[in-house]
Amino acid sequence: MSRLLYFVPKNYLSYLLGRLAEIRLPKPLVTWVIGIFATAFRVRLEEAAKPSSEYRSLAEFFTRDLKPSLRPIPPDAANLLLSPVDGKLRALGTIRGGMVEQVKGRTYKLAELLGNDPWAFRFEKGVYFNFYLSPSDYHHVHSPIGGQIMRSTYIPGALWPVGDWWLKRIDGLFCLNERLVTYLAGRFGLLALVMVGATNVGKLSVIYDDWRGNQVFSAGACKPQSRDYNPPKHIKAGERLGTFHLGSSVILFCEPGAVEVQVGRTPRAVRYGEKLAEGALA
């Protein structure tokens, strides 16, 4: 199946599906469509900020807000590394020799994932967290720390699926797909948060800049583009950072010695704003 997908125009298909999902429908029809989607993917409708009848399109429902009280930010968030998403924490581990584990037995180069950014070396022997957002999940991404947005990089690429089946079969899959990297600095040192596009993610966006995903359909049409922010842009712990316009993956990198991680069971469900680790830097 993976070989057949090479011949599918994944970026064009994802763009088209995204535009179809944005079509505004009559209220009875959009309520019916959302109901089918919610049933198929077991969406927790009771968590949505609005009832299904108040959304104007399926795309608007994809990027729904949650009820404000559902994801409280811990009062001691300044000392914690928070989950940036609702989803599944697939893996966490240590970066060694510039390599990151994609799944057991398959790795990829950290520098390649980050578009060969000169800051990539700073994460050697640091910790990474790999999250997966399914179609049923809340699709906004939040800042794992309070601090400053220092730089961002948009890296064009393909839109392969990022489910576990594909990760086990395609080497360096995350490095093939479109990415948007946000560099955050604070009391945890430097962090890199990578939003990875995937099939049917028609676009991704961030609140602090005008980057838009899947605007260049050919993976080789342009090179990575970086922007430095001077002065840096301030962001609070748990504040919204960006949005996937369907499900995908987020990979978070920390410098060595920045956090004290208590290794637990993976994969496991996580919710944005919950504690991932405690800070180890003063």
Side-chain angles (χ1 to χ4, degrees):
M1 186 183 295
S2 59
R3 292 185 179 182
L4 291 176
L5 199 57
Y6 273 103
F7 301 100
V8 175
K10 295 174 287 296
N11 293 62
Y12 285 102
L13 178 62
S14 297
Y15 179 81
L16 176 61
L17 290 175
R19 294 305 299 268
L20 289 173
E22 291 174 350
I23 295 175
R24 294 189 177 187
L25 302 172
K27 184 178 292 188
L29 183 55
V30 73
T31 302
W32 179 73
V33 170
I34 289 172
I36 291 176
F37 179 86
T39 299
F41 293 103
R42 299 181 180 180
V43 178
R44 295 175 291 274
L45 291 175
E46 69 279 4
E47 294 189 347
K50 300 189 298 185
S52 300
S53 60
E54 293 188 19
Y55 295 98
R56 296 169 295 178
S57 67
L58 189 57
E60 189 175 289
F61 176 71
F62 287 157
T63 57
R64 62 194 176 275
D65 290 331
L66 299 179
K67 292 176 181 176
S69 60
L70 288 178
R71 303 288 186 270
I73 303 302
D76 58 343
N79 301 313
L80 302 176
L81 181 71
L82 305 178
S83 172
V85 295
D86 276 18
K88 179 172 69 173
L89 177 58
R90 284 196 280 206
L92 61 87
T94 303
I95 304 155
R96 301 187 186 281
M99 304 299 291
V100 183
E101 187 175 73
Q102 178 169 290
V103 291
K104 189 174 182 179
R106 290 185 183 272
T107 59
Y108 59 87
K109 294 180 180 179
L110 173 62
E112 185 177 353
L113 181 81
L114 300 182
N116 294 309
D117 190 281
W119 281 353
F121 79 94
R122 295 180 59 170
F123 302 105
E124 175 64 22
K125 296 183 181 180
V127 177
Y128 69 89
F129 300 84
N130 180 338
F131 305 90
Y132 173 67
L133 288 73
S134 74
S136 67
D137 287 316
Y138 166 78
H139 299 121
H140 296 297
V141 180
H142 294 253
S143 180
I145 63 168
Q148 308 289 332
I149 300 172
M150 308 296 293
R151 176 187 296 173
S152 64
T153 303
Y154 170 68
I155 306 162
L159 290 174
W160 285 90
V162 292
D164 293 343
W165 192 91
W166 300 94
L167 294 185
K168 293 175 183 177
R169 288 163 175 79
I170 300 177
D171 287 324
L173 190 153
F174 291 131
C175 296
L176 299 176
N177 278 12
E178 174 183 74
R179 284 99 68 204
L180 181 54
V181 187
T182 302
Y183 292 94
L184 299 151
R187 65 178 301 169
F188 293 85
L190 186 70
L191 280 71
L193 187 149
V194 186
M195 298 172 65
V196 183
T199 304
N200 295 338
V201 180
K203 59 184 177 181
L204 51 85
S205 58
V206 290
I207 57 99
Y208 62 83
D209 209 322
D210 61 356
W211 297 118
R212 291 294 183 271
N214 200 16
Q215 299 304 298
V216 180
F217 299 140
S218 172
C222 68
K223 298 179 180 180
Q225 304 170 57
S226 294
R227 296 173 183 170
D228 292 311
Y229 302 108
N230 188 16
K233 299 174 181 284
H234 181 74
I235 192 165
K236 297 177 181 179
E239 185 177 348
R240 185 175 297 175
L241 185 71
T243 302
F244 285 114
H245 297 257
L246 198 55
S248 193
S249 290
V250 167
I251 310 171
L252 179 63
F253 299 96
C254 303
E255 289 187 284
V259 295
E260 296 178 348
V261 179
Q262 295 180 349
V263 178
R265 175 180 56 85
T266 56
R268 69 175 185 267
V270 293
R271 297 289 179 261
Y272 94 78
E274 74 176 60
K275 170 185 169 181
L276 285 178
E278 294 183 357
L281 299 178

